[in-house]
Amino acid sequence: FRLAVPFIQRALQHSDNVAMLLRSSFAATGKRFRALFAQKGLYLFQWVEVGWLNIYGLKPMATPADAAGLRMRVQSSESAEILMKSLGAEYLQMEFADVIPALQTGLISGGETNVVLYQITGLAGEAPHMTFTRHSFDTGVVVGNLDWYNGLPQRRQDIIEKAFVPSPEARLGIRTMADKVESNLDAYGVIGHYPTPAQRALWKDATKDNHKAIIARVGGRAQDVYDAMVRGRAEFDALQQGLSR
């Protein structure tokens, strides 16, 4: 279940607070997230930050109406498919390596991604319009084969576990990179579009029920994860209100 419910997080602080709450809520009796991955034969090493997802395209898409009827690329993700459907767009699932040829031939008109991948993979050169909707804060995971991991001596397991950069340091690195790329997009010929409050309200309205569809499609403990996300956001908002008094 990816934490890609549109507009549930309004700031990076929401993401951080939600992440902390999820880790504490689902680690009460052992590491429950690891248990969920273990059911699929996988060992969860670490959560990794990807960053804010935005809309890119061959033409500007200031509002959801601009995406309606277009064919948009999605990755293999329930939330991505549901997003495009809620915008009235046609979606086409494809591997990342096929995206640039699809843009060049007009097979697709755009998609969603984070600003770093948009620039370093060459998407910016083919689809020069990026709308900074910041509609979802994307994350990923580092996993390995569970049987392989369990078959390793404890010493080697410890070496692997300690090889990963601590999450706070990794998050800072990704965010610093994203800020640097975004501030220099004009050098790559990119035209950035920042929704006005009224335009942002249209994006939020178009996707307001996406979480219901995502939970239904994903199943399992998706509802529990979503509820924890909502609690994390509410706790952060309450803390901020208390500090402002």
Side-chain angles (χ1 to χ4, degrees):
F1 180 67
R2 297 197 315 146
L3 309 185
V5 175
F7 299 106
I8 191 171
Q9 297 157 345
R10 296 185 291 274
L12 288 174
Q13 294 90 335
H14 279 144
S15 174
D16 291 340
N17 202 60
V18 166
M20 286 188 293
L21 182 62
L22 285 171
R23 281 195 288 270
S24 62
S25 297
F26 288 81
T29 58
K31 296 187 176 180
R32 294 186 186 173
F33 268 121
R34 278 186 171 165
L36 293 175
F37 278 91
Q39 293 174 11
K40 303 296 184 180
L42 298 171
Y43 181 81
L44 172 62
F45 286 106
Q46 188 181 49
W47 293 93
V48 294
E49 188 161 296
V50 177
W52 291 112
L53 294 177
N54 302 299
I55 301 294
Y56 66 89
L58 299 173
K59 68 173 189 176
M61 284 179 266
T63 69
D66 296 325
L70 299 181
R71 185 182 296 116
M72 305 286 278
R73 179 260 177 177
V74 299
Q75 58 182 311
S76 180
S77 160
E78 293 88 351
S79 58
E81 294 176 3
I82 291 167
L83 170 70
M84 295 307 174
K85 186 175 180 179
S86 69
L87 302 180
E90 179 184 351
Y91 61 84
L92 183 61
Q93 186 182 122
M94 64 175 63
E95 297 299 323
F96 211 96
D98 297 323
V99 177
I100 288 181
L103 287 167
Q104 292 173 336
T105 61
L107 179 62
I108 61 172
S109 297
E112 68 166 348
T113 192
N114 65 82
V115 70
V116 174
L117 282 179
Y118 174 67
Q119 190 272 316
I120 66 174
T121 60
L123 289 178
E126 303 298 334
H129 295 275
M130 171 161 271
T131 303
F132 287 90
T133 52
R134 307 190 202 278
H135 55 273
S136 299
F137 197 81
D138 201 10
T139 60
V141 291
V142 179
V143 298
N145 181 276
L146 181 63
D147 291 338
W148 164 78
Y149 180 81
N150 288 337
L152 295 174
Q154 184 63 51
R155 179 178 62 85
R156 292 191 177 182
Q157 290 183 356
D158 292 341
I159 290 174
I160 295 173
E161 295 282 358
K162 293 176 182 178
F164 295 102
V165 176
S167 291
E169 183 180 341
R171 288 202 301 271
L172 178 61
I174 290 293
R175 294 174 186 183
T176 300
M177 184 186 304
D179 288 343
K180 183 177 180 180
V181 170
E182 182 176 341
S183 66
N184 288 286
L185 280 180
D186 57 343
Y188 303 100
V190 172
I191 304 171
H193 306 276
Y194 294 85
T196 65
Q199 290 170 336
R200 188 168 179 81
L202 293 175
W203 287 100
K204 292 177 69 173
D205 185 66
T207 59
K208 65 181 183 298
D209 291 326
N210 285 28
H211 67 284
K212 299 176 183 178
I214 293 172
I215 291 168
R217 284 274 300 276
V218 174
R221 298 194 63 187
Q223 184 67 58
D224 294 337
V225 177
Y226 176 77
D227 291 343
M229 292 165 65
V230 173
R231 289 199 305 275
R233 183 181 64 181
E235 288 180 7
F236 176 79
D237 288 342
L239 177 62
Q240 290 299 103
Q241 291 176 5
L243 293 174
S244 64
R245 293 175 182 172

